[in-house]
Amino acid sequence: MDKPTQSLRGLCNISFGFFGIQIGFALQNANMSRIFQSLGSSLDDLPALWVAAPLTGLLVQPIIGHMSDRTWLGRLGRRRPYFLAGAVLAALSLLLMPESGGLLMAAMLLWMLDASLNVSMEPFRAFVGDMLPARQHTAGYAVQTGLIGAGSVIGSLFPWLLEHAGVSNVAAAGTIPETVRISFWFGGIALLCSVLWTVFTTREYGPEEMAAFAAVDSAPAHAPADHLAGRGYGTSLGWVLAGLALGGLTWAAALEKEVYLLAALLAIYGVLTAVAIVRAKSGRAAGMLGSIVGDFTGMPAVMKRLALVQFLSWSAMFIMWINTTPVVAQYAFGAEGADSPLYQKAANWVDVLFAVYSGVSAVAALTVVPMLAARLGKARAHGAGLLCGAAGFTGFLVVRDPVWLMACEVGIGVAWASILALPYAILASSLPQAKLGVFMGLFNVFIVVPQLLVATVMGTMMRMFFPTEPIWTFAFAAATMGGAAVAAWALGRGDPAHEGVPALA
């Protein structure tokens, strides 16, 4: 028995909560560097202050995915309890963020906000796969991406609209502008209402129904301990040694102290793998730790091949989110510091630029991306979309007019639509339904690790080579996105020239 086809209204209801979640993400991405600098952070400190957010996602999403695969709370279902709980906490974080009295409070609230958004976001990725037949996966993730783009436009534009409505955009030293304060309050309310819409308008399939649907699932689930029991400890030791070596290099070369975090993560992963192997060899139940580690080490081949694409494309996007405000302020507006009125004006213009790429992504997700997927196959269509993003990043190196920077954002918007839709459409059609949550959560590793690398290594590189020229971060972003495009195109070798992409209705 296959899952019933959803109407366009049903597709929208399934993903409408992501509309509010993305308002929260847009406010975070466009304004947190601004908030940190307004509260006294220097440009060099920004990457370190952002570290907590991706690290939280790295830990939270696989755990939430694993738990939601095994949850059933009656009428509330298995995915909805998680994105409802996350929405309540994220809304609270957004309401409190403008009241930050210093950098420590703002950094702690960013951690709480990102953790909560990840708790809400991860089940939504699996929710689409749960609710739709394989023939509608591309359409389902396209609609989700359209709603993400719409939420991003609203979240990005709101401070700019408030300024033009007469709300003060000027803040005294150590305080946050009123435009940002009101925007975060609005974002908290919008996020909670959007998630409640999905909770009240959808009904999840029960365990018996999902078991019946699994009969037509071509990707069977596997026991995570099966392959661990036959493994040695060499790989685990290798990860531990790699972590120790990176820690030693960081100390010897006086690298940024945040690099120690990456070293610790490598070593911890090695230890966790060894623990999981010991449990598997002894015949004991895998438990949550063993299941997650086992699923990660034994992930399906298509997921491994997509990992490089995700790693590179998200590296480029995170570079943009951290550096767009200082780059635009310095090169397009001539601002000399965060306390300059020109800086606040530039920061609001960055909100507009982010709204442009978000709006383009919403339209492209429903038009360009499905068309390319039908003509080229999903993987090669993804490569074409990422190439547009590389062109957009390259444009920042030469364009100095703030208005013309919007043209660069068009290419980035097409890439963003592809990033948010096609990898998940590929995975949802290839992964076992019984483990869709945990694999979607583990796929987030290849989003988070590049963010950690950017947040820890980029600052060191810039200080060594371009201490006063942040524009060169965009050159690195362009090259990275171009590499992702090549990897995605290579992933499509052997794909059929045409993939049937059904209509949205």
Side-chain angles (χ1 to χ4, degrees), residues 188-388:
I189 296 171
L191 188 156
L192 185 59
C193 291
S194 298
V195 171
L196 286 173
W197 179 277
T198 291
V199 169
F200 287 121
T201 60
T202 57
R203 182 191 71 85
E204 293 191 65
Y205 298 120
E208 296 81 9
E209 292 172 295
M210 291 300 291
F213 296 143
V216 299
D217 183 9
S218 60
H222 67 281
D226 289 348
H227 67 93
L228 289 177
R231 294 188 61 174
Y233 298 98
T235 302
S236 300
L237 180 61
W239 284 111
V240 173
L241 292 177
L244 293 175
L246 181 58
L249 177 63
T250 303
W251 176 79
L255 301 178
E256 293 296 311
K257 61 183 180 298
E258 292 81 19
V259 182
Y260 284 117
L261 176 60
L262 291 174
L265 288 174
L266 293 176
I268 290 170
Y269 176 69
V271 172
L272 292 179
T273 304
V275 171
I277 292 173
V278 168
R279 292 180 64 91
K281 287 181 179 294
S282 66
R284 285 181 287 175
M288 183 171 69
L289 170 63
S291 294
I292 292 175
V293 172
D295 286 329
F296 185 74
T297 58
M299 69 180 71
V302 67
M303 187 169 164
K304 293 179 180 179
R305 297 176 68 194
L306 273 171
L308 177 62
V309 181
Q310 285 291 92
F311 183 93
L312 294 173
S313 57
W314 278 86
S315 294
M317 295 302 297
F318 198 64
I319 289 170
M320 182 190 74
W321 290 331
I322 289 181
N323 293 288
T324 300
T325 296
V327 165
V328 171
Q330 179 175 335
Y331 295 92
F333 284 81
E336 296 181 357
D339 56 349
S340 166
L342 284 175
Y343 180 90
Q344 298 299 340
K345 188 176 180 66
N348 269 11
W349 187 249
V350 169
D351 291 339
V352 176
L353 294 177
F354 281 15
V356 171
Y357 92 75
S358 299
V360 169
S361 74
V363 175
L366 300 176
T367 55
V368 177
V369 170
M371 179 190 70
L372 288 176
R375 291 178 177 272
L376 303 175
K378 294 172 189 173
R380 289 185 172 180
H382 190 34
L386 296 177
L387 195 60
C388 292

Side-chain angles (χ1 to χ4, degrees), residues 12 22 32 34 65 76 89 94 108 138 147 156 169 217 247 299 328 339 348 365 375 400 458 463 465 471 498:
C12 291
Q22 198 59 34
M32 284 312 303
R34 174 186 193 176
L76 196 55
L89 292 174
L94 286 166
M108 291 298 294
T138 299
L147 289 167
S156 298
N169 189 50
D217 183 9
M299 69 180 71
V328 171
D339 56 349
N348 269 11
R375 291 178 177 272
R400 294 293 178 265
M458 183 62 69
R463 264 186 291 278
F465 300 107
I471 189 66
H498 301 275

Side-chain angles (χ1 to χ4, degrees), residues 415-436:
W416 187 230
S418 185
I419 289 169
L420 293 179
L422 290 179
Y424 299 99
I426 294 170
L427 287 179
S429 301
S430 307
L431 297 176
Q433 292 295 301
K435 289 180 172 287
L436 196 55

Side-chain angles (χ1 to χ4, degrees), residues 437-462:
V438 69
F439 278 128
M440 288 292 188
L442 288 170
F443 196 54
N444 187 59
V445 170
F446 307 111
I447 295 173
V448 171
V449 171
Q451 294 181 38
L452 288 173
L453 283 171
V454 170
T456 56
V457 176
M458 183 62 69
T460 299
M461 292 177 58
M462 290 304 298

